[in-house]
Amino acid sequence: MVTIIGSFVQIATLCLNNFFFVNGFDHAKERFYFVLILSCLAPVLFVYIGIIGIVIPVLLLIYSNYRYKKDPIVSITAPFFAVIILVISDHLSFLANSFLFDISVEMVNAQLSYYGLHLLFFLLFSVLLSFITHMVIRKLKQFVPVFKHYFLFLMSLTVLTVSFFYINILVSDRSGFSSEIVQFNSFIFLAYFALFITILGLLLFSVIKEMKVKNKQEEYKQLRMYSENLEEMYGELQKFRHDYINILSSMSEYIRTKDMEGLETYFNEKVMPTGQGIKKNHYKLGALQNVKVTEVKGTLVSKLIKAQDLGIDIALEATEPVHQINMDYIRLCRCLGIILDNAIEEAEQFDGSSIHIAFIQKENSLLIVVANTIGGEIPKLYKVFQQGYSTKGENRGLGLSNLKEIVSKCENVTLETKITGKMFFQELEIAD
């Protein structure tokens, strides 16, 4: 009876911890049946296979995680972390019973009431460790792209830890689980677990340091781009100044000869189009003065000039000053870069295309809207964020899938994509 109840509770706890780590309760009904069936099969696994029977639930959890998350790092590490918590909680429960109530392992295995107390401590330790682990995972989410470089090391360390635990448990099982052996194993496991956490901490420190260096490099790149664009705009201003003097000089001969008809024709055909072009470009770039975030302004300037050089009608609207945005500026610049590059790439293929950018300050958030005309095939919304999908040919379509991944790591940022007629809208809302 103790084996049946214990294996049922432990496998159910293992599954729930795993789903908790991967935020996998969105398919609640299916998950419930998965946990129920696997927990009911647990007694059979442990009776006929023994402790090694834990391998089958772990493999099934890895499959289930990858089926919904499509993330190999999370899919593999979550079940192993759940196993580590399972073993640590089980041994902490034995220690608690021993030190608080002087209940030995033999008494726990012999009497159902003592075993019930053991399971109560086991569940308490499991919940506590799971919440701590979940909080750490949430903090580490922003470093997932960098952690991919350390995936093999992280996976090897986790598998080595679980293997060490279960080899020790198997040896102890053959020697007989006495109170002395369990206590000794508990101290060894806790010491090894502390070493495991220390190594992870050092890895995290290395990752954070690497991220800071990359962020500084990206920030420098954005500032350099902004400076280059300012220099380009200054050069354009100098050329206009020179052209303006030449235009005035060319008009002087008409004035000297009092040729008003010729002056009117020259003014309407030569001077006015130049003035309209200057006025038009000033309108497009003038609203940038309200965007006070240097990194974002640099990205916008580079994309606006690129669009204008391609002859695309582009307009920016920011009626209120934007002094601060509650989002990591590197991530925001990546998002804006992807959205605007896609808009420009679409707009340059067709004549008469346009792009509109708006910064709208709402009560508790900032809404950034980018709208561009669609000239050809209207994309299917449920496909646009799939990696590799593109209406422009092969080896494309990576930008929007990356955009979705970046936004998913920011809890206060939402992205809404919609198509109205021949206009494609990307709305990025950032809560204060």
Side-chain angles (χ1 to χ4, degrees), residues 141-145 148 331 404-411:
K141 270 188 177 181
Q142 57 182 313
F143 303 116
V144 167
K148 287 180 180 178
R331 288 184 176 180
K404 183 180 179 182
E405 182 180 350
I406 296 169
V407 172
S408 68
K409 293 181 174 65
C410 305
E411 295 182 357

Side-chain angles (χ1 to χ4, degrees), residues 43-55:
V44 178
L45 290 175
F46 284 99
V47 168
Y48 289 97
I49 302 178
I51 297 171
I52 299 300
I54 193 72
V55 172

Side-chain angles (χ1 to χ4, degrees), residues 158-169:
T158 307
V159 172
L160 182 65
T161 301
V162 173
S163 301
F164 173 78
F165 283 177
Y166 273 89
I167 289 172
N168 201 296
I169 291 171

Side-chain angles (χ1 to χ4, degrees), residues 311-312 345-354 373-377:
I312 299 170
E345 191 175 351
E346 176 68 24
E348 71 174 320
Q349 297 184 78
F350 308 98
D351 295 332
S353 297
S354 62
T373 50
I374 305 171
E377 176 189 349

Side-chain angles (χ1 to χ4, degrees), residues 207-326:
V207 167
I208 292 175
K209 188 175 180 180
E210 184 178 338
M211 283 288 289
K212 285 181 177 179
V213 171
K214 286 189 174 182
N215 286 344
K216 287 293 182 184
Q217 290 174 344
E218 189 68 26
E219 185 177 345
Y220 172 73
K221 180 181 175 182
Q222 293 291 342
L223 289 173
R224 187 180 63 183
M225 188 184 302
Y226 180 51
S227 299
E228 289 173 354
N229 287 323
L230 284 179
E231 289 176 7
E232 185 177 345
M233 291 173 68
Y234 179 74
E236 291 292 329
L237 183 61
Q238 289 293 93
K239 285 195 294 183
F240 168 72
R241 180 185 176 187
H242 183 265
D243 292 342
Y244 179 70
I245 294 173
N246 289 335
I247 290 170
L248 291 179
S249 300
S250 66
M251 292 171 63
S252 64
E253 184 62 23
Y254 289 103
I255 295 172
R256 189 183 67 80
T257 59
K258 301 187 185 325
D259 184 2
M260 293 298 109
E261 184 177 345
L263 178 61
E264 182 180 359
T265 302
Y266 178 76
F267 183 80
N268 289 331
E269 291 181 358
K270 304 294 184 182
V271 179
M272 280 298 291
T274 304
Q276 290 296 329
I278 294 168
K279 182 179 179 182
K280 190 175 183 182
N281 284 338
H282 175 74
Y283 169 71
K284 292 173 183 176
L285 297 175
L288 275 171
Q289 64 182 344
N290 279 334
V291 181
K292 307 296 185 181
V293 181
T294 304
E295 295 87 347
V296 176
K297 183 180 287 190
T299 301
L300 291 172
V301 168
S302 65
K303 302 306 178 186
L304 287 169
I305 291 176
K306 177 182 177 182
Q308 288 184 14
D309 289 343
L310 292 170
I312 299 170
D313 182 21
I314 187 166
L316 171 67
E317 178 184 350
T319 55
E320 298 180 30
V322 180
H323 293 283
Q324 188 175 359
I325 304 175
N326 188 26

Side-chain angles (χ1 to χ4, degrees), residues 23-82:
N23 294 321
F25 293 110
D26 43 351
H27 302 276
K29 187 176 181 180
E30 186 173 340
R31 300 293 194 187
F32 172 77
Y33 287 123
F34 181 89
V35 173
L36 184 62
I37 293 172
L38 200 56
S39 300
C40 290
L41 291 175
V44 178
L45 290 175
F46 284 99
V47 168
Y48 289 97
I49 302 178
I51 297 171
I52 299 300
I54 193 72
V55 172
I56 294 176
V58 168
L59 293 176
L60 290 174
L61 285 171
I62 292 173
Y63 168 76
S64 176
N65 292 340
Y66 190 75
R67 179 185 173 190
Y68 292 105
K69 297 297 178 181
K70 305 298 181 184
D71 187 333
I73 295 179
V74 174
S75 301
I76 297 174
T77 53
F80 280 104
F81 281 159

Side-chain angles (χ1 to χ4, degrees), residues 96 122 132 141 158 170 174 202 235 291 351 380 391 394 423:
F122 165 76
I132 294 174
K141 270 188 177 181
T158 307
L170 280 171
R174 291 180 180 178
L202 293 173
V291 181
D351 295 332
K380 297 176 176 60
T391 60
E394 297 180 357
M423 294 296 293

